[in-house]
């Protein structure tokens, strides 16, 4: 019987063990999509206790705590930090089969050297040990500890990027911290607060925005601003992938209605969103940015809790009506407008994997290796089963060797172990294919493949300009 989460955790063959320990384990990390607060990096935040850095903002953990009967004061409320830690420890023994069980123990192992399982009985002991060790680490030191070389945060178009400027001006920090352009509030016209946000964007660009075309122009100006501050990518979060004929008149009608506090019809809203997205895509192409589109999420399902806590607090779910069929006309519209950028597509619905892989293959080309990408298993899918399925579906319908790999999508400075988890799953899968005779046992080629999937492809695709590994 294997020991709990030992050195060969998830590695079931000799080839998988060799691939992970001799190749993947030592590779540095590029985390090209996360939600870490740039101010905390700029100010090199320190943490008073493990609950701050481990549970704060982590809606993955919050969902399980609620399901285990924890009261909200111990989840997002004002309970003492040790009580919050105990509330999470209380659910841990019941999380068999949940990736949180593995992620959490990997974080304890890699950051604090704690191999003891977290249980209600061990909670206070582990809490004390973590707090003692946290005294050695600031936010930047944690990033260094995990061998991170670059991250892209998630930033609103109206942000002045002050904290990114401060980080860039600080010659003592070698990790690249770049902004990523996230225009959701200007595009998702059906959401509450749209009119207020447009007023904010108007203030940012210094003029009134009176039409859809005005908003598109404002976003393009902010893209120029972000590019001047080192930005390499944008991310669009959509509840569903939409497409409507990009008709200016319909889009402007939707804009006028929304600015008066009304909710435009879905048809009008989709016309506006399509027009905005096409305009952004063309500008990204001009800048040679990577565009990411995340879709297929049912957000803020529990309305009373949303009213109390706001978004991103653990009340989102998978949307079975993801709109994956709209990818093709949307990408055609990008192309016809002279603006099909490098593009990464993520659906929260795993049933969309094959559709994405086959649709994106219709738009490859232009001399760019892997120009259109299927994103890594996202959110509710970033578990062993979901990762293996995404990798297998992509391999079966595309070119797996050009895949740009894993990201954390996280708000925590401890979550870089998700890259380790992904790399173990990747090496396990490749090892199975080699040892079953489906791929040659060519160590040189396998080394290149894993190195590319974990480092080189991401570095090249985004243009980070970091040192290639294993390339002559």
């Amino acid at each position: 019987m294997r020991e709990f989460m030992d050195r060969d955790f998830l590695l079931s063959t000799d080839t998988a063990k060799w691939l992970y320990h001799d190749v993947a384990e030592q590779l540095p990390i590029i985390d090209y999509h996360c939600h870490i607060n740039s101010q905390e990096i700029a100010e090199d935040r320190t943490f008073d206790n493990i609950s701050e850095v481990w549970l704060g903002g982590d809606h993955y953990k919050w969902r399980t705590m609620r399901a285990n009967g924890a009261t909200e004061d111990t989840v997002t409320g004002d309970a003492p930090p040790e009580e919050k830690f105990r509330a999470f420890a209380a659910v841990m023994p019941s999380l068999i089969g949940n990736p949180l069980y593995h992620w959490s123990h990997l974080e304890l192992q890699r950051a604090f050297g704690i191999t003891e399982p977290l249980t209600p009985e061990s909670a206070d002991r582990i809490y004390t040990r973590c707090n003692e060790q946290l005294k050695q680490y600031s936010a930047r030191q944690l990033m260094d500890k995990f061998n991170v070389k670059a991250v892209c945060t998630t930033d609103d178009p109206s942000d002045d990027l002050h904290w990114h400027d401060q980080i860039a001006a600080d010659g003592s920090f070698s990790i690249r911290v770049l902004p990523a352009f996230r225009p959701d509030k200007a595009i998702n016209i059906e959401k509450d607060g749209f009119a207020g946000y447009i007023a904010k964007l108007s203030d940012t660009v210094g003029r009134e925005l009176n039409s859809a075309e005005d908003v598109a122009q404002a976003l393009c100006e902010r893209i120029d601003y972000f590019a001047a501050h080192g930005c390499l990518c944008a991310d669009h979060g959509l509840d569903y992938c939409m497409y409507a004929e990009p008709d200016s008149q319909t889009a402007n009608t939707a804009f006028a209605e929304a600015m008066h506090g009304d909710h435009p019809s879905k048809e009008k809203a989709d016309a506006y969103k399509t027009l905005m997205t096409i305009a952004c895509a063309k500008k990204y192409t001009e800048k040679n940015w990577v565009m990411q589109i995340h879709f297929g999420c049912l957000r803020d399902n529990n309305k009373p809790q949303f009213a109390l806590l706001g978004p991103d607090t653990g009340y989102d779910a998978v949307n079975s009506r993801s709109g994956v069929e709209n990818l093709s006309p949307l990408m055609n519209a990008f192309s016809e407008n002279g603006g099909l950028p490098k593009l990464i597509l993520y659906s929260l619905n795993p049933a969309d994997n094959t559709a994405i892989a086959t649709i994106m293959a219709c738009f490859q080309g232009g001399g760019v290796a892997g120009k259109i990408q299927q994103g890594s298993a996202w959110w509710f899918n970033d578990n062993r089963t979901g990762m293996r399925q995404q990798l297998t579906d992509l391999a079966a319908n595309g070119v797996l060797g050009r895949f740009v790999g894993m990201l954390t999508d996280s708000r925590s400075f401890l979550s870089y172990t998700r890259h380790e988890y992904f790399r173990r799953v990747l090496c396990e899968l490749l090892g199975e294919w080699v040892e079953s005779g489906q791929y040659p046992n060519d160590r040189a080629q396998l080394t290149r493949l894993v190195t590319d999937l974990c480092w080189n492809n991401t570095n090249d695709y985004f243009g980070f300009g970091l040192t290639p590994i294993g390339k002559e």
Side-chain angles (χ1 to χ4, degrees):
M1 180 181 294
R2 292 272 295 276
E3 293 184 12
F4 169 64
M5 291 186 65
D6 63 5
R7 181 174 185 269
D8 294 331
F9 169 60
L10 295 182
L11 306 173
S12 57
T13 65
D14 290 340
T15 302
K17 294 171 186 176
W18 165 74
L19 275 173
Y20 180 72
H21 294 303
D22 286 24
V23 183
E25 185 175 19
Q26 61 193 335
L27 294 171
I29 289 172
I30 297 173
D31 198 36
Y32 60 85
H33 175 67
C34 72
H35 297 275
I36 285 176
N37 188 327
S38 58
Q39 181 177 352
E40 294 181 354
I41 302 174
E43 296 179 339
D44 202 15
R45 179 184 175 180
T46 57
F47 302 93
D48 293 332
N49 56 74
I50 182 63
S51 296
E52 281 186 3
V53 68
W54 212 37
L55 302 179
D58 193 335
H59 52 76
Y60 287 83
K61 294 186 175 77
W62 295 348
R63 288 166 67 95
T64 63
M65 294 164 72
R66 293 178 184 125
N68 198 50
T71 54
E72 196 61 35
D73 65 316
T74 63
V75 180
T76 62
D78 57 3
E82 59 271 23
E83 289 188 22
K84 292 184 176 182
F85 191 83
R86 290 179 191 130
F88 182 60
V91 71
M92 282 290 282
S94 299
L95 287 183
I96 185 169
N98 190 310
L100 264 180
Y101 193 78
H102 294 147
W103 293 351
S104 299
H105 283 105
L106 282 174
E107 289 162 359
L108 291 174
Q109 289 180 12
R110 301 296 176 259
F112 306 108
I114 295 172
T115 57
E116 180 181 11
L118 179 58
T119 65
E121 293 73 28
S122 66
D124 286 355
R125 181 167 59 252
I126 290 176
Y127 181 80
T128 299
R129 286 183 62 187
C130 289
N131 288 347
E132 283 298 313
Q133 293 190 59
L134 265 180
K135 296 175 183 178
Q136 307 171 35
Y137 297 115
S138 64
R140 294 185 181 191
Q141 289 169 327
L142 284 170
M143 296 172 76
D144 275 325
K145 183 177 180 64
F146 286 106
N147 200 17
V148 177
K149 299 302 180 185
V151 300
C152 294
T153 59
T154 303
D155 305 278
D156 187 86
S158 64
D159 197 315
D160 65 4
L161 303 181
H162 165 76
W163 298 112
H164 286 87
D165 289 344
Q166 184 171 316
I167 295 166
D170 184 352
S172 66
F173 193 49
S174 62
I175 298 173
R176 296 193 71 189
V177 181
L178 303 180
F181 190 75
R182 181 76 176 238
D184 295 5
K185 292 180 180 178
I187 293 178
N188 292 335
I189 193 171
E190 77 280 12
K191 301 288 187 179
D192 292 336
F194 175 80
Y197 179 76
I198 295 300
K200 181 179 180 180
L201 185 60
S202 296
D203 290 341
T204 301
V205 298
R207 64 181 183 278
E208 288 189 8
L209 304 178
N210 297 313
S211 66
E213 292 85 356
D214 287 351
V215 177
Q217 180 59 38
L219 290 176
C220 288
E221 290 176 20
R222 298 307 295 168
I223 291 168
D224 285 331
Y225 182 87
F226 271 55
H229 290 73
C231 186
L232 299 173
C233 62
D235 181 49
H236 290 233
L238 304 170
D239 290 356
Y240 59 91
C241 183
M242 76 288 141
Y243 180 77
E245 288 300 319
D247 174 63
S248 294
Q249 182 175 350
T250 305
N252 283 323
T253 299
F255 180 81
E257 290 177 357
M259 293 302 289
H260 283 93
D262 298 325
H263 289 279
S265 67
K266 181 179 182 299
E267 292 74 17
K268 294 176 185 176
D270 284 355
Y272 171 87
K273 293 195 289 184
T274 301
L275 194 72
M276 292 299 104
T277 306
I278 292 171
C280 286
K282 185 167 187 175
K283 189 69 174 180
Y284 303 151
T285 304
E286 174 189 315
K287 296 296 182 183
N288 196 30
W289 279 11
V290 173
M291 180 183 191
Q292 301 174 80
I293 300 179
H294 288 81
F295 64 94
C297 183
L298 283 174
R299 295 188 183 273
D300 309 322
N301 291 279
N302 187 325
K303 299 305 179 185
Q305 287 300 98
F306 175 73
L308 288 172
L309 302 175
D312 304 319
T313 51
Y315 297 99
D316 303 324
V318 175
N319 190 346
S320 62
R321 295 183 177 181
S322 67
V324 68
E325 69 279 3
N326 291 321
L327 278 177
S328 177
L330 185 64
M331 292 166 71
N332 268 306
F334 291 169
S335 297
E336 291 167 351
N337 193 47
L340 178 63
K342 291 180 287 186
L343 183 62
I344 307 178
L345 303 168
Y346 310 77
S347 174
L348 199 54
N349 189 339
D352 293 340
N353 281 352
T354 300
I356 290 174
T358 54
I359 290 170
M360 75 185 200
C362 301
F363 294 89
Q364 300 285 19
V368 180
K371 179 177 181 178
I372 315 298
Q373 293 272 337
Q374 180 184 18
S376 60
W378 173 40
W379 198 344
F380 299 120
N381 303 307
D382 53 4
N383 50 65
R384 180 177 178 271
T385 300
M387 289 178 182
R388 285 175 63 95
Q389 190 62 54
Q390 183 267 340
L391 290 166
T392 301
D393 289 341
L394 177 57
N397 295 284
V399 183
L400 180 61
R402 301 311 311 167
F403 177 47
V404 293
M406 188 57 178
L407 49 90
T408 63
D409 192 25
S410 172
R411 294 166 173 78
S412 171
F413 288 96
L414 294 177
S415 61
Y416 297 110
T417 54
R418 295 183 192 178
H419 285 265
E420 175 182 341
Y421 187 87
F422 166 80
R423 291 174 181 185
R424 287 176 178 271
V425 170
L426 172 69
C427 292
E428 178 193 31
L429 183 59
L430 297 182
E432 290 175 8
W433 287 343
V434 169
E435 296 207 6
S436 63
Q438 298 181 62
Y439 193 85
N441 187 19
D442 180 337
R443 290 205 164 193
Q445 182 56 46
L446 288 165
T447 296
R448 285 192 293 271
L449 188 62
V450 170
T451 304
D452 285 349
L453 289 167
C454 297
W455 175 262
N456 288 323
N457 290 351
T458 305
N459 187 33
D460 293 344
Y461 187 74
F462 284 83
F464 284 102
L466 301 169
T467 303
I469 297 176
K471 290 187 176 183
E472 297 180 356

